[in-house]
Every structure is written in structure tokens, then in C-alpha cells.
């Protein structure tokens, strides 16, 4: 098991190294740069812009810039934002809480609901509920999050006035209740799509297991229906879901982008988008590396979990 | 100093929140009251929504307009500029002029008298050494100053006493008062000892003399300012000013409708929502003139545009009225000049550009531009075909481009739309005149000052090694001469004659075709008083110190 983990870890580190080179190169070779935002400032000229570029260290050869940045990365100095001069790691950490809050609450919501709908759909195949769930999932997957979010704001904030239309909390009132009230809409909107995905996966995973011999054996032994369902079927059906969860978690980070924008939620997704808009290279690279680490970790954890419940994986 | 991971004291709440998990959330959902949520309460705070995020708190480091929305309230310049374009004393007892002897007749010697009752937010007294420090900081080659123009001419700053100082100018420079009205004073006792002036804590924990003190900044979320109860001037009348960052325009507008924000600031209300916004109960929509002028601008060194007759024809075929009325909902006003109409220096006598497609075709015929085999005009092997660029994603402007494209096609001129992402557009493409033509909005002025050397003087052509933004590569010796003259006169009436002539010459030469002067749509809750349009500054939150709830 340890060898398996070390092997996977080595793989991940190599990948990170490649991501760093690729990301850095593409970012810096893309036309435009962080100086364009100052172009229309009063009294600006190419000469002045060149001076600013020099102070940012942007006129050095690209490999030198990369090496500088990468060595910093390794020792935990991820550089400083071009915009406010703050340390990149601090900036990321400052936005991480918001994203995690949103992602975790919406994951709990979507996994819970999705599993329930999936199990019910599988055990009552071709029932009215199953059809309804299928159609519902298709609709949820087709609706753009952006539109759904705006409709939710229109109904619950503008028309009914029940919920705040955005932000993470009211400044000055940072009670748990206040956070929760702000959290309801964005997490529900973000969960919507994932409920659809989870319920479809869960349904097909259940159906795979239901048809297998050991289930028939369990039934033949005279076990009760619920016992067969929860002990034998569900446990086995959840194995592929672990992998899915590992893959899903990082996409939730990026998937929160649209939701964060609609609900002015100050998370990582929006930080990334903002930094792209300003060509704030250190922050863009920081978020990129952070996400890459997150993705690889997610996969690693999923692999280890699957390997620990399913010995066949380890023997490959 | 300031908390970077969120509001102070929220940690406990957040931990608790994370611990409560879904059970807690479900409980709270049941406890929701169906009352209307509103950001405004009796505590006297105002919430301003911006679609861009202010991130640069140091007023002299490279920044964008939205950052000035914060600077104006934390810091003070020596004197400010009011909506009429008049200077009003802030940190000085009187605005230096030639009349009161603050500036010598030749514009070379300056004397500044400061108030003696001003303190920095940390309690230290404000004095002449802070002024000296601020100006010298702009000249420091090791400091990445945003604007050196004007400051680099200052020599020999002498501190007479704590509240008086003098300096000399290398050459007379009339725009300097306007530049000073945007130059926020920073504390010498905090920044003076910095090892590297570019890397200071001040960047995230500014200390000024202004109506508000810096409270905290939660990156990507908001900036909170607290009232400076010791403020020497008028106000502040609010305990808190909160600047929320709401990146999406639709969401920004929605939060203005719901009342989550009290004021909709920079980028404001989209023109197509103007009608609807005026119907919202309890909200006031303000049409604020801006000094920015929208133009079709030519690279006059490009072979298609070297011939002034071509530019004249393109002006004749430009239907400004339809663009303003139909595409921009009649919100901006058409203009003939690069100066805002509110400016004292605006030339009222410029002939109104006519729109006459038939005449445009005649002009091109007369100038020898004849339709070729494909119907596109050409002359001496140059086809009258060119690219027009602007920043991609501005749908209204793109409609205007398409509209112009059609009209031009009808007179045998081929305009191809080739739009670019802002980061590309405003790079060397713009600065080094790598374009054929562009459609851009530019603020040519320096605050209330009419000096436009940066854009129209021939030594401001970056593509030819100059230092400026004369990206149309416009070169007119007479204009050069007048710009020099206008920049060295200190009596407004005398200067006006010069700038009137400059406007007339540029109008005849047409390096760019002005279409309209921008009007920005902003809005606030109707019971907020003191919100004032000021065409001489770049941001609507220049005077939050005077805002109050009725």
C-alpha cells in the first residue's frame, strides 16, 4: 500500500512541475499584459510603461522569470500580487474559506439529494418518479447556472424579499444566521446541477449492482429487502462514487465560478477571473498551481480510498 | 495590521458555522423571517457598489480610476476641484494664484500656505515636510510613481516653517495646479524611512488626512472606511462608507434594485436599463457628464489616412446623431471637440459636423479615390480598406461599429471590424500606433486643465520615440506651438484664446472624429444627499465626506 501511495505521489509531483512550466509559458506568451490597464491613465506613455514593466521584473528573459518564481514556489514564497502587493498565498487563503463554505454546503446538499434520488430511481425503475427524476435531471443540466441564479434572485430577493441577493454576509452582522441566509441561494443553485449528475451516476451504479449474482444470493438467503438494499447493494454501488467524488471536488472549485459571480461571492473562482482580467501573473499562477495540487490530491485520495476498499486495484 | 482573512472576530463564527453543518443550516432556514432585507439602517453608513475592485491604496502607485474612489476619501490634496472646475482649498489656507501672489507672474515661483489644524489619522500633525516629501516622492527614480508629469519640474523645495513652503519650477507649467488637485498628500513620518518606497505596509494600510480612515479591506469583497471624527473640513456625516465589489453588471444593477447597495458607482447602470431604472421607487438616477469623448480615431501615418480629404469624407459619412439616439439611447451628447462641454475652455464656435453621404462620395471622387473592380475605392495602389478596432465585449460599441461599417460601405470604403481583448488593445497595439483606426473613449484632459499635449503634441508620439499618447501620430507645427504657449499661461482668459484655436485646428485636421461626450449613469437611494457629479474627477465617490441621509 505504501509503495502504491509513494508511486502515485511521485507521479503527481512530476505533473505539477509540468503544469508550472506549461501554465507559466502560455500565460506569458499570450498577447497583452498587466500594463494595459494603465495605458489610459493621464500622462501615460510607452516610456513610462516600460519603466513600470522593469520594476515588475517583466523585461527579464522568460526562463529567468520562471526559475525565480518556481524556486519561490518550492520554498513557500508564491510571489506578490501586481495589484496590491500582498503575498499570493495570503490572497488565496483569504478567498479559500468562501469557496470551501459554498462548495462544502452545496456538496452535502447535492450528494445527499443525489444519492436519495438515484437510489429511489434505481429501486423503482420506470416508475413515475423515475421518469420525473430523469426529466428533472435533464432540465437541471440544461439550464445555465447564470440564468437560474438570476431568476432565483428575482424571485426570492426582488419579489419576495426573503433572501439577500448576494454577498457572503452583511457587514456588521456576521452572525452564523446571517452567513446561513446568504448561503442558501448560491449553494442551492450550485447544487442543482450536481444533484442531477449524482443522481444519474448513482442510479446506474445501483442498477449495475442489483443485477449481480451476490444480490440474488442475498435475497435467496431470505434477507429483508432493506438489508439487501443498504448492506449489499448500496455499499457496492458507492465504490465508483468515491472515484467520482475525487474527480468532482476540484471541478466544484472551478464550477463555483459562475455562482460566485452571480451572488458576488468572494471565492477562488472569482479571484481567478479577476486576476485574469488584470493579468496579475503571480496570482493567476498561484491559483493555477493551487488548483492543480487540489486536483491531484483529490485523485490521490480517491485512488487510495478505492484501493483500500477494493484490493484488486493495488495489484495492477 | 488589517485582517487579510476576513472581518475581525469572524473566525469564531466561521468555525462555528462550519461545525454546525447542514443540521444547523436547516435549523436556520426554518428560523428565517420574511422581512424585507435592506442594507441601510440608522447607523449612518453608506454602501457603494463598484464593478471593479479597488486594490491600490497607495495613491501614487500605478492604479486605475476605481482606486481613486478610495483615495479621495482617505487622503486630501492641497486643494480640490469642484464641479465648476474651480479650485477649493483643502490642506491650504488659500489656493495659490498669480493674483494672490502664491504663484509669480512668470509661473516659476510658488508659495504654499498650509492649514495648521490638520492631523494624520494616526494623530501626528500634518506639516510642510509632508508636502515636500510627497512631491519629492514623485521625483524619486526608485519609486514607481503613477504620474511624474509636472512634478518633475519642481526644484528647490524650501520649508519656510511648519505651515509654509516655497518651490521653483524649471519652466512655467500651467497644468500644474490641476495636477496638484489630484496629488494626494502622504505622511512623511510613515513613508519617509522606507527602505524600498515600492514595498511598504502603507499599500494595504493607508494613513491620510481625509474625511474617512481606512478600516479594513476584505479582498474580492469590500473595503470599509470609518469616519474621521477629527476631520478639519466639512463632514463626514456618515459613520461608515463601505465599497462593495460586484463584478457583474447585471448583478450590480440587481443589488441596486433590491437596495443591497445604496449607491451604484463605477460602471453604473447600462444605457438599456436607463428607462427602467428611473421607475424604481425610492431611487434617484443621475446622468453624470464625463470628460471622456468617444471618437473614431485614425492612424494618420497609415497610407489610407494620410490624405486629409479621406478623413473629411469619413467624417461626412459618419451619422453621429443616429449613433447617439438609436444606439446609445440618447444618453450621451454629441460633441465636436475633445474637451468636455462643461470646461471653461470648450470652444462653443466649432462648426457642427454635417452628415451627408452623397457629399462624402463627391469628396472622395474629387480627391481621386476611384472605385476599383470590387467597388472599393483606391488611389495610387492604396485601397480604401482598413481595420477598426476596439476592446472586444462592449456590445453597444460593436453595434455602432457595424452601423458605421454599413454607411462607409455605401461610399466604397471597406471598414473591417477587428476587436481585441483589452489587455491586447491597450498594449503596444495602442501605444505604438499599430492600428489602422480605433473606436475609443478617451479623457484628454488633466482634471479641469485643458492641456492636451500628451495626446496632440508631436513629441508625444510613442511610435516615433516620443513620450505621450499621440497614437494617431498627429503632427501640426502650429498646434505644437500653441500647446507650448497654452501650457505656460496662467490667466484662464488668455489661455482660452489659445485652446479655442487648438480645437479649431484639430477639428479641421481630423486626426480623430469626435462622436459624443460620455454621460455616466449612476444612481443612489433618494434619501441620500450630497451625491454630486463632477466632470473634473474620474470617479463619482470623490466627496463621500459630504454625503448624508436626510
Amino acid at each position: 500500500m505504501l509503495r502504491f501511495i509513494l508511486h502515485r505521489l511521485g507521479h503527481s509531483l512530476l505533473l505539477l512541475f509540468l503544469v508550472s512550466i506549461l501554465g507559466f509559458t502560455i500565460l506569458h506568451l499570450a498577447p497583452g499584459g498587466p500594463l494595459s490597464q494603465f495605458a489610459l491613465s493621464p500622462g501615460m506613455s510607452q516610456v513610462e510603461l516600460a519603466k513600470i514593466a522593469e520594476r515588475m521584473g517583466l523585461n527579464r528573459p522568460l526562463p529567468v522569470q520562471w526559475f525565480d518564481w518556481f524556486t519561490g514556489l518550492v520554498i513557500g514564497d508564491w510571489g506578490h500580487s501586481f495589484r496590491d502587493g500582498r503575498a499570493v498565498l495570503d490572497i488565496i487563503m483569504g478567498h479559500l474559506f468562501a469557496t470551501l463554505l459554498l462548495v462544502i454546503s452545496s456538496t452535502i446538499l447535492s450528494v445527499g439529494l443525489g444519492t436519495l434520488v438515484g437510489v429511489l430511481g434505481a429501486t423503482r425503475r420506470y416508475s413515475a418518479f423515475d421518469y420525473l427524476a430523469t426529466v428533472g435531471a435533464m432540465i437541471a443540466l440544461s439550464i445555465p447556472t447564470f440564468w437560474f441564479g438570476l431568476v432565483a434572485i428575482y424571485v426570492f430577493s426582488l419579489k419576495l424579499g426573503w433572501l439577500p441577493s448576494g454577498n457572503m454576509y452583511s457587514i456588521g452582522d456576521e452572525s452564523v444566521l446571517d452567513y446561513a441566509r446568504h448561503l442558501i441561494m448560491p449553494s442551492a443553485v450550485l447544487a442543482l446541477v450536481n444533484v442531477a449528475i449524482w443522481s444519474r451516476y448513482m442510479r446506474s451504479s445501483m442498477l449495475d449492482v442489483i443485477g449481480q449474482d451476490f444480490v440474488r444470493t442475498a435475497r435467496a438467503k431470505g434477507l429483508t429487502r432493506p438489508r439487501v438494499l443498504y448492506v449489499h447493494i448500496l455499499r457496492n454501488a458507492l465504490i465508483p462514487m468515491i472515484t467520482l467524488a475525487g474527480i468532482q471536488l476540484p471541478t466544484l472549485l472551478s464550477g463555483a465560478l459562475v455562482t460566485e459571480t452571480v451572488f458576488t461571492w468572494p471565492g477562488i473562482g472569482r479571484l481567478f477571473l479577476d486576476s485574469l482580467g488584470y493579468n496579475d501573473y503571480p496570482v493567476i499562477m498561484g491559483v493555477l498551481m493551487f488548483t492543480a495540487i487540489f486536483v491531484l490530491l483529490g485523485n490521490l485520495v480517491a485512488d487510495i480510498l478505492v484501493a483500500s476498499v477494493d484490493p484488486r486495484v493495488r495489484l495492477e | 495590521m488589517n485582517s487579510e482573512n476576513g472581518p475581525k472576530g469572524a473566525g469564531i463564527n466561521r468555525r462555528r458555522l462550519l461545525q454546525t453543518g447542514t443540521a444547523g443550516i436547516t435549523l436556520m432556514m426554518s428560523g428565517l423571517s420574511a422581512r424585507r432585507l435592506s442594507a441601510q439602517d440608522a447607523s449612518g453608513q453608506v454602501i457603494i457598489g463598484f464593478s471593479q475592485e479597488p486594490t491600490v491604496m497607495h495613491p501614487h502607485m500605478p492604479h486605475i480610476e476605481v482606486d481613486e474612489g478610495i483615495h479621495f476619501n482617505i487622503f486630501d490634496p492641497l486643494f480640490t476641484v469642484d464641479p465648476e472646475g474651480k479650485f477649493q482649498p483643502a490642506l491650504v489656507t488659500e489656493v495659490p494664484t498669480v493674483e494672490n501672489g502664491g504663484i509669480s507672474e512668470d509661473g516659476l515661483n510658488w508659495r504654499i500656505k498650509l492649514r495648521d489644524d490638520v492631523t494624520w489619522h494616526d494623530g501626528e500633525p500634518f506639516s510642510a515636510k509632508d508636502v515636500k516629501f510627497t512631491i519629492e516622492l514623485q521625483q524619486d527614480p526608485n519609486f514607481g510613481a503613477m504620474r511624474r508629469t509636472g512634478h518633475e519640474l519642481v526644484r528647490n523645495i524650501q520649508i519656510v516653517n511648519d505651515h509654509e513652503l516655497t518651490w521653483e519650477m524649471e519652466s512655467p507649467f500651467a497644468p500644474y495646479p490641476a495636477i496638484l488637485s489630484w496629488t494626494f498628500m502622504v505622511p512623511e513620518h510613515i513613508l519617509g524611512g522606507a527602505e524600498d518606497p515600492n514595498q511598504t505596509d502603507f499599500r494595504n494600510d493607508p494613513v491620510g488626512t481625509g474625511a474617512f480612515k481606512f478600516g479594513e479591506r476584505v479582498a474580492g469583497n469590500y473595503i470599509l472606511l470609518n469616519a474621521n471624527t477629527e476631520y478639519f473640513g466639512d463632514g463626514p456625516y456618515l459613520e461608515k462608507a463601505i465599497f462593495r465589489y460586484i463584478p457583474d453588471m447585471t448583478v450590480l444593477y440587481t443589488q441596486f434594485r433590491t437596495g443591497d447597495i445604496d449607491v451604484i458607482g463605477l460602471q453604473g447602470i447600462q444605457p438599456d436599463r436607463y428607462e427602467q431604472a428611473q421607475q424604481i421607487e425610492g431611487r434617484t438616477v443621475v446622468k453624470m457628464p464625463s470628460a471622456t469623448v468617444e471618437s473614431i480615431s485614425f492612424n494618420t501615418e497609415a497610407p489610407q489616412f494620410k490624405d486629409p480629404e479621406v478623413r473629411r469624407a469619413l467624417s461626412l459619412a459618419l451619422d453621429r446623431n443616429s449613433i447617439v439616439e438609436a444606439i446609445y439611447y440618447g444618453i450621451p451628447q454629441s460633441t465636436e471637440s475633445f474637451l468636455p462641454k462643461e470646461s471653461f475652455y470648450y470652444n462653443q464656435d466649432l462648426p457642427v459636423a454635417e452628415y451627408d453621404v452623397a457629399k462624402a462620395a463627391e469628396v472622395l471622387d474629387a480627391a481621386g479615390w476611384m472605385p476599383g473592380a470590387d467597388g472599393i475605392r483606391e488611389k495610387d495602389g492604396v485601397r480604401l480598406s482598413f481595420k477598426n478596432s476596439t476592446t472586444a465585449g462592449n456590445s453597444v460599441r460593436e453595434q455602432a461599429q457595424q452601423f458605421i461599417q454599413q454607411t462607409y460601405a455605401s461610399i466604397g470604403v471597406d471598414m473591417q471590424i477587428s476587436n481585441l481583448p483589452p489587455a491586447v488593445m491597450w498594449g503596444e497595439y495602442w501605444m505604438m500606433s499599430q492600428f489602422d483606426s480605433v473606436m475609443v473613449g478617451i479623457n484628454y484632459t488633466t482634471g479641469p486643465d485643458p492641456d492636451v499635449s500628451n495626446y496632440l503634441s508631436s513629441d508625444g508620439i510613442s511610435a516615433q520615440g516620443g513620450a505621450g499618447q499621440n497614437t494617431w501620430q498627429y503632427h501640426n507645427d502650429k498646434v505644437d506651438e500653441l500647446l507650448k504657449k497654452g501650457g505656460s499661461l496662467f490667466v484662464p482668459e488668455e489661455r482660452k484664446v489659445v485652446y479655442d484655436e487648438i480645437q479649431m485646428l484639430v477639428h479641421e485636421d481630423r486626426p480623430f472624429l469626435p462622436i459624443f461626450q460620455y454621460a455616466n449613469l449612476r444612481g443612489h437611494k433618494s434619501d441620500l444627499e450630497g451625491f454630486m457629479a463632477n466632470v473634473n474627477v474620474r470617479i463619482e465617490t470623490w466627496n463621500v465626506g459630504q454625503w448624508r441621509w436626510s
Side-chain angles (χ1 to χ4, degrees), chain B residues 36-58:
Chain B
R36 249 208 163 319
L37 292 159
S38 159
Q40 192 222 316
D41 52 22
S43 75
Q45 63 170 36
V46 65
I47 300 185
I48 299 136
F50 281 148
S51 71
Q52 291 175 338
E53 187 187 7
T55 56
V56 184
M57 302 293 113
H58 191 317

Side-chain angles (χ1 to χ4, degrees), chain A residues 103-119 121 129 132-142 145 148 186-204 241 244 248 252:
Chain A
V103 165
I104 288 171
S105 53
S106 112
T107 305
I108 292 169
L109 210 62
S110 55
V111 170
L113 269 176
T115 308
L116 189 70
V117 173
V119 169
F129 176 85
L132 203 66
T134 307
V135 172
M138 285 304 130
I139 292 174
L141 281 172
S142 320
T145 317
F148 188 73
S187 59
V189 167
L190 182 59
L192 184 79
V193 171
N194 292 308
V195 169
I197 295 173
W198 272 92
S199 65
R200 303 312 294 161
Y201 273 112
M202 196 66 218
R203 182 179 179 272
S204 57
M241 305 307 276
L244 184 67
Q248 274 279 305
L252 269 176

Side-chain angles (χ1 to χ4, degrees), chain A residues 98 102 146 153 164-169 182 186 256-267 270, chain B residues 49-51 220-222 244-255 260-261:
Chain A
L102 180 60
F146 198 85
I153 290 174
S165 65
N167 312 323
M168 195 159 69
Y169 51 86
H182 282 85
L257 175 69
V258 175
T259 317
E260 285 177 1
T261 302
V262 177
F263 293 99
T264 58
W265 197 266
R270 247 191 43 204
Chain B
F50 281 148
S51 71
N221 194 347
Y222 66 87
R244 264 205 182 286
Y245 164 52
I246 302 161
D248 185 79
M249 298 294 293
T250 304
V251 179
L252 181 70
Y253 177 65
T254 306
Q255 294 211 1
D260 285 288
I261 55 175

Side-chain angles (χ1 to χ4, degrees), chain B residues 125-424:
Chain B
F126 163 81
S127 79
K129 66 178 195 301
D130 296 307
V131 180
K132 180 175 167 42
F133 172 79
T134 301
I135 294 174
E136 284 175 349
L137 182 67
Q138 316 304 313
Q139 303 172 331
D140 182 353
N142 298 317
F143 177 64
M146 171 92 176
R147 285 191 276 262
R148 295 182 198 279
T149 318
H151 301 300
E152 58 209 352
L153 301 171
V154 178
R155 297 282 175 275
N156 191 22
I157 304 176
Q158 294 291 336
I159 294 179
V160 179
N161 59 45
D162 276 355
H163 307 296
E164 194 173 330
L165 70 160
T166 61
W167 67 70
E168 293 158 17
M169 299 294 281
E170 191 176 297
S171 54
F173 188 58
Y176 199 47
I179 288 167
L180 281 176
S181 77
W182 285 11
T183 304
F184 297 104
M185 294 298 130
V186 292
E188 187 266 347
H189 69 274
I190 294 179
L191 289 169
E195 208 168 299
D196 177 356
N198 303 296
Q199 302 292 345
T200 54
D201 291 343
F202 196 81
R203 293 178 70 171
N204 290 296
D205 192 14
V207 174
T209 53
F212 288 92
K213 295 178 177 183
F214 180 75
E216 64 169 353
R217 167 170 176 242
V218 180
N221 194 347
Y222 66 87
I223 289 173
L224 164 71
L225 305 184
N226 295 310
N228 172 13
T229 47
E230 310 292 306
Y231 188 55
F232 63 89
D234 178 28
Y237 302 102
L238 298 164
E239 273 176 54
K240 290 186 174 129
I242 296 159
F243 296 81
R244 264 205 182 286
Y245 164 52
I246 302 161
D248 185 79
M249 298 294 293
T250 304
V251 179
L252 181 70
Y253 177 65
T254 306
Q255 294 211 1
F256 174 62
R257 282 179 69 186
T258 56
D260 285 288
I261 55 175
D262 304 315
V263 176
I264 182 166
L266 186 86
Q267 310 275 358
I269 301 163
Q270 307 278 67
D272 56 342
R273 298 196 178 112
Y274 184 43
E275 286 273 311
Q276 188 199 40
Q278 289 170 301
Q279 310 303 320
I280 310 172
E281 205 171 316
R283 303 284 183 280
T284 305
V285 176
V286 187
K287 201 161 101 172
M288 304 178 75
S290 144
T292 303
V293 174
E294 179 92 348
S295 312
I296 290 271
S297 313
F298 308 114
N299 179 353
T300 57
E301 287 298 313
Q304 303 94 316
F305 302 123
K306 262 187 151 40
D307 181 354
E309 288 301 290
V310 168
R311 305 200 295 268
R312 188 174 145 220
L314 293 180
S315 174
L316 282 165
L318 182 62
D319 184 359
R320 293 167 175 82
N321 264 349
S322 298
I323 292 172
V324 170
E325 294 305 323
I327 299 176
Y328 283 88
Y329 299 83
I331 292 162
Q333 42 180 350
S334 11
T335 185
E336 306 300 333
S337 177
F338 46 81
L339 289 181
K341 294 196 168 165
E342 292 73 13
S343 168
F344 169 75
Y345 301 94
Y346 180 82
N347 184 344
Q348 306 281 2
D349 305 326
L350 293 174
V352 175
E354 51 180 325
Y355 168 59
D356 187 338
V357 179
K359 196 167 164 187
E362 284 166 26
V363 168
L364 288 173
D365 286 338
W369 291 86
M370 289 303 173
D374 56 356
I376 307 297
R377 293 174 183 267
E378 48 186 68
K379 180 183 176 182
D380 305 334
V382 178
R383 289 174 81 245
L384 211 42
S385 160
F386 58 89
K387 280 187 185 153
N388 182 269
S389 308
T390 189
T391 49
N394 183 334
S395 58
V396 182
R397 195 185 263 156
E398 282 167 358
Q399 282 173 33
Q401 279 179 309
Q402 288 159 7
F403 176 71
I404 295 167
Q405 184 183 37
Q406 285 170 9
T407 330
Y408 283 0
S410 71
I411 56 166
V413 174
D414 174 38
M415 170 171 131
Q416 293 155 7
I417 299 170
S418 155
N419 293 345
L420 305 161
V424 180

Side-chain angles (χ1 to χ4, degrees), chain A residues 151-207:
Chain A
V151 168
I153 290 174
Y154 181 77
V155 174
F156 295 106
S157 308
L158 263 176
K159 287 289 152 208
L160 300 170
W162 290 355
L163 293 167
S165 65
N167 312 323
M168 195 159 69
Y169 51 86
S170 317
I171 300 165
D173 172 19
E174 284 143 40
S175 61
V176 176
L177 183 69
D178 183 64
Y179 266 94
R181 226 180 14 216
H182 282 85
L183 188 62
I184 293 169
M185 266 202 292
S187 59
V189 167
L190 182 59
L192 184 79
V193 171
N194 292 308
V195 169
I197 295 173
W198 272 92
S199 65
R200 303 312 294 161
Y201 273 112
M202 196 66 218
R203 182 179 179 272
S204 57
S205 179
M206 288 280 292
L207 290 175

Side-chain angles (χ1 to χ4, degrees), chain A residues 19-288:
Chain A
V19 164
S20 86
I21 293 183
L22 203 66
F24 195 90
T25 313
I26 291 174
L27 188 59
H28 282 259
L29 289 184
L35 300 172
S36 53
Q37 54 176 316
F38 307 129
L40 291 184
S41 300
M44 196 48 80
S45 68
Q46 189 63 26
V47 181
E48 283 297 322
L49 284 177
K51 282 183 194 160
I52 298 176
E54 192 176 343
R55 265 190 304 272
M56 287 178 163
L58 291 170
N59 52 357
R60 299 171 302 166
L62 210 51
V64 173
Q65 288 187 50
W66 174 84
F67 185 78
D68 231 30
W69 168 77
F70 190 77
T71 46
L73 197 72
V74 174
I75 59 168
D77 173 11
W78 290 32
H80 292 259
S81 161
F82 285 159
R83 296 167 70 195
D84 58 12
R86 288 170 50 218
V88 170
L89 267 180
D90 286 353
I91 296 175
I92 291 177
M93 291 306 153
H95 286 74
L96 192 61
F97 169 79
T99 294
L100 286 182
L101 182 65
L102 180 60
V103 165
I104 288 171
S105 53
S106 112
T107 305
I108 292 169
L109 210 62
S110 55
V111 170
L113 269 176
T115 308
L116 189 70
V117 173
V119 169
L120 288 176
T123 49
R124 296 177 177 59
R125 203 156 30 141
Y126 306 134
S127 65
F129 176 85
D130 188 28
Y131 281 122
L132 203 66
T134 307
V135 172
M138 285 304 130
I139 292 174
L141 281 172
S142 320
I143 291 181
T145 317
F146 198 85
W147 181 84
F148 188 73
L150 285 175
V151 168
I153 290 174
Y154 181 77
V155 174
F156 295 106
S157 308
L158 263 176
K159 287 289 152 208
L160 300 170
W162 290 355
L163 293 167
S165 65
N167 312 323
M168 195 159 69
Y169 51 86
S170 317
I171 300 165
D173 172 19
E174 284 143 40
S175 61
V176 176
L177 183 69
D178 183 64
Y179 266 94
R181 226 180 14 216
H182 282 85
L183 188 62
I184 293 169
M185 266 202 292
S187 59
V189 167
L190 182 59
L192 184 79
V193 171
N194 292 308
V195 169
I197 295 173
W198 272 92
S199 65
R200 303 312 294 161
Y201 273 112
M202 196 66 218
R203 182 179 179 272
S204 57
S205 179
M206 288 280 292
L207 290 175
D208 280 350
V209 180
I210 283 176
Q212 287 184 16
D213 292 351
F214 72 87
V215 176
R216 225 186 8 227
T217 312
R219 286 220 179 110
K221 281 196 304 187
L223 294 179
T224 57
R225 259 193 84 102
R227 195 172 161 78
V228 171
L229 182 64
Y230 293 110
V231 177
H232 292 266
I233 301 176
L234 199 55
R235 261 176 68 177
N236 281 291
L238 278 172
I239 292 178
M241 305 307 276
I242 296 174
T243 313
L244 184 67
I247 297 167
Q248 274 279 305
L249 198 58
T251 51
L252 269 176
L253 262 193
S254 55
L257 175 69
V258 175
T259 317
E260 285 177 1
T261 302
V262 177
F263 293 99
T264 58
W265 197 266
I268 296 270
R270 247 191 43 204
L271 170 70
F272 189 63
L273 202 65
D274 289 350
S275 305
L276 275 177
Y278 287 92
N279 284 291
D280 193 346
Y281 295 157
V283 180
I284 299 172
M285 285 312 297
V287 175
L288 185 70

